[in-house]
Each structure stands twice: as structure tokens, then as C-alpha cells.
Amino acid sequence: MFPPMITRGDIVWLGISSGVTGGIIGGSMLGIGMDLMANGQPFGLIPIIIGGPCSAIIGWLLSRRLAKRLTNPQ
């Protein structure tokens, strides 16, 4: 039996959801880190540095879930 097809809607939903959640998480970590740095607390650099990779993990997890649909027929 053939694996289920990924539709255009699935790809659009993946892009929208990973972009929105990644932007919210990455932006809030960047904002918190910038606020801490502006107030003179040097450990505010930690949320600034990990904000990018942390926001990218959301898209990676969602794409893995979409790829599992190709390998595991329902």
C-alpha cells in the first residue's frame, strides 16, 4: 500500500505554525535577554544566545511529525 500523500495544506500548516510559535518563543527569549542586559545583568546573554536554536526546534519537531506520516501508513 502506498504511504499517504502530503497535501499542500499540510506544508502550509507546517510553515505557519512553526513560524508563529518559533517567532513567539525566539522573540520572547530575545526580549527577556535584552531587558536583562539593559539592566546590567550579564547572564541575560544566555537567553539571547539560545533564543534562535530554541525557536528552530519547534519547526524541526513539526517536520519530523509530518515525515512520520510518510513512513507509517495510518
Side-chain angles (χ1 to χ4, degrees), residues 3-39:
M5 295 295 295
I6 293 178
T7 63
R8 185 177 292 178
D10 293 335
I11 296 171
V12 169
W13 175 247
L14 172 68
I16 290 172
S17 61
S18 66
V20 169
T21 55
I24 289 172
I25 291 172
S28 63
M29 291 183 78
L30 178 67
I32 290 169
M34 293 287 283
D35 183 49
L36 289 171
M37 291 294 288
N39 288 328

Side-chain angles (χ1 to χ4, degrees), residues 41-74:
Q41 298 173 349
F43 62 86
L45 191 61
I46 294 170
I48 293 173
I49 291 173
I50 64 172
C54 191
S55 65
I57 287 175
I58 303 296
W60 180 67
L61 290 174
L62 289 171
S63 63
R64 282 188 55 180
R65 193 179 85 193
L66 186 61
K68 277 185 185 178
R69 283 187 44 199
L70 285 176
T71 58
N72 297 332
Q74 296 176 356

